[in-house]
Amino acid sequence: MTTIISPKQFSPVEDAENIRKACQGWGTDEKAIISILGHRNLFQRKLVRLAFQEIYHQDLLQQLKCELSGNLERAVSLWTLDPADRDAVLANETLQKSDPDYRVIIEIACIRSPEDLLAVKRAYKFRYKHSLEEDLASSTTADIRKLLVGVTSAYRYDGDEFDETVAQTEASTLHQEIHGKAFNNEEVIRILSTRSQAQLNATFNIYKDIYGHSITKGFPDGDYFSTLRTVIRCIRDPKKYFAKVLRSAINMEETNEDALSRVIVTRAEKDLKDIKELYLKRNNISVDEAVAREWSGDYKTFILALLGADQN
């Protein structure tokens, strides 16, 4: 979504030198850093980081952490990381909290491609010397543990094919276990943690045809069902899910910069354009306008750069 400099104009050495200049003197030139990193794609950012290391023998991320602060530092640092490393950091940060936001884990496990999820788990193990599943299991209990470890351990088939007979059978199984009195979530967890996205969406569609409402309607209260609802929403319609996360982050009485940064940084080079269109359709205001209204300063400037709506 962010406006990217053309390859002919791009010089990683010049970018590295200009970032270094922005960090020297009496104060950091945040706008110069934003003007560079906010307009570089993944490949370009990687080259800038390599050039910075080669010229100054220092990790660009460490330099940014020293020079920037608060929400801006967090957003710029996440943007500068490779996607798998970024997700590993996001997962670890949430698991270190006394009240983890399991949406972060579910987004990584249920929206990333099977290969991307595998890369995240490798990056996590390399960084923290534990597996993601190990730390997740230590931070959860009971059925929430089984569900989250299950979806995180998955390596799903990611093709478009599905079996309608299986979908019909498993729609009935899900209804019985969720809305019946079975009080046994094993089959729910098995289905949601092993079936492909295409297969699960076929199951959810047949469920609605049979029972006249979406699978998440009328869920009982409780943390497990809240977590289950998020898993299903992420699998069923990731773009709609992210549009709702943005709306919540922006419209809360206390705005949620962590959620805003996470969605925009992780989706900017994926499907942010579609998410923005959904947001506008549902809220009658663009994400750009909403961000410009609620935030100020360099953080706002950086987020707008990623949204492709820079304000000079």
Side-chain angles (χ1 to χ4, degrees):
M1 222 20 248
T2 183
T3 305
I4 301 299
I5 190 171
S6 71
K8 290 182 181 179
Q9 297 172 297
F10 171 64
S11 167
V13 171
E14 285 185 16
D15 280 354
E17 290 173 345
N18 287 329
I19 290 172
R20 181 73 167 191
K21 288 176 188 174
C23 297
Q24 293 175 331
W26 289 103
T28 304
D29 187 349
E30 289 89 352
K31 287 180 173 53
I33 294 172
I34 293 168
S35 71
I36 298 169
L37 293 177
H39 299 90
R40 302 295 183 268
N41 63 29
L42 173 61
F43 180 67
Q44 291 170 338
R45 297 194 303 275
K46 187 178 294 188
L47 291 180
V48 172
R49 193 174 172 189
L50 285 171
F52 197 93
Q53 178 72 48
E54 288 178 7
I55 297 168
Y56 304 110
H57 307 290
Q58 184 178 5
D59 186 355
L60 175 58
L61 277 168
Q62 292 303 316
Q63 181 79 62
L64 294 172
K65 286 181 180 296
C66 291
E67 299 296 333
L68 306 177
S69 61
N71 295 317
L72 176 65
E73 181 275 319
R74 176 173 170 74
V76 173
S77 293
L78 287 173
W79 178 244
T80 306
L81 283 166
D82 284 348
D85 219 16
R86 175 198 301 148
D87 281 346
V89 169
L90 286 168
N92 183 260
E93 284 180 350
T94 202
L95 292 177
Q96 297 304 313
K97 295 177 180 177
S98 57
D99 184 21
D101 182 356
Y102 292 127
R103 293 180 306 171
V104 177
I105 304 296
I106 295 166
E107 289 166 16
I108 294 168
C110 297
I111 296 177
R112 309 301 189 255
S113 72
E115 289 298 330
D116 287 346
L117 176 57
L118 194 59
V120 173
K121 292 193 283 188
R122 285 182 181 134
Y124 192 99
K125 185 168 63 174
F126 180 79
R127 261 185 176 265
Y128 303 110
K129 312 308 177 191
H130 305 111
S131 71
L132 175 55
E133 295 92 333
E134 179 183 357
D135 286 352
L136 184 55
S138 298
S139 303
T140 50
T141 58
D143 284 336
I144 290 180
R145 172 191 287 167
K146 293 177 185 176
L147 176 61
L148 293 182
V149 171
V151 296
T152 303
S153 302
Y155 184 78
R156 304 175 191 270
Y157 173 67
D158 60 351
D160 295 328
E161 300 86 354
F162 62 88
D163 186 320
E164 189 167 351
T165 302
V166 170
Q168 289 176 333
T169 300
E170 293 187 343
S172 176
T173 300
L174 289 172
H175 183 266
Q176 180 60 31
E177 292 213 4
I178 293 171
H179 297 287
K181 301 204 177 192
F183 299 108
N184 177 5
N185 299 308
E186 294 295 330
E187 281 297 281
V188 174
I189 294 169
R190 176 190 67 79
I191 292 167
L192 290 177
S193 63
T194 61
R195 296 302 187 194
S196 70
Q197 185 181 34
Q199 184 66 50
L200 287 169
N201 274 317
T203 300
F204 299 152
N205 290 336
I206 288 174
Y207 185 103
K208 189 172 184 179
D209 290 343
I210 295 173
Y211 300 106
H213 58 80
S214 71
I215 188 171
T216 55
K217 186 173 182 180
F219 264 17
D221 294 330
D223 291 341
Y224 168 72
F225 283 102
S226 175
T227 305
L228 183 64
R229 182 183 291 109
T230 301
V231 168
I232 291 172
R233 285 176 174 171
C234 283
I235 293 170
R236 186 173 60 190
D237 194 339
K239 295 170 188 175
K240 182 179 177 182
Y241 163 81
F242 280 127
K244 286 185 175 181
V245 174
L246 284 178
R247 182 178 63 186
S248 177
I250 293 168
N251 293 339
M252 286 175 63
E253 189 171 329
E254 292 187 9
T255 52
N256 187 341
E257 287 78 10
D258 280 353
L260 180 77
S261 297
R262 184 179 79 249
V263 173
I264 291 176
V265 166
T266 61
R267 308 317 295 178
E269 295 175 297
K270 297 281 188 181
D271 52 6
L272 186 56
K273 181 180 179 182
D274 296 333
I275 294 166
K276 287 176 64 176
E277 288 174 358
L278 267 176
Y279 185 97
L280 175 61
K281 185 177 180 181
R282 291 176 171 272
N283 298 282
N284 297 317
I285 184 175
S286 69
V287 178
D288 308 358
E289 291 174 293
V291 167
R293 183 186 62 191
E294 295 294 335
W295 282 275
S296 61
D298 294 320
Y299 176 71
K300 179 181 85 169
T301 302
F302 182 66
I303 293 298
L304 289 176
L306 299 192
L307 288 166
D310 308 51
Q311 287 190 347
N312 298 318

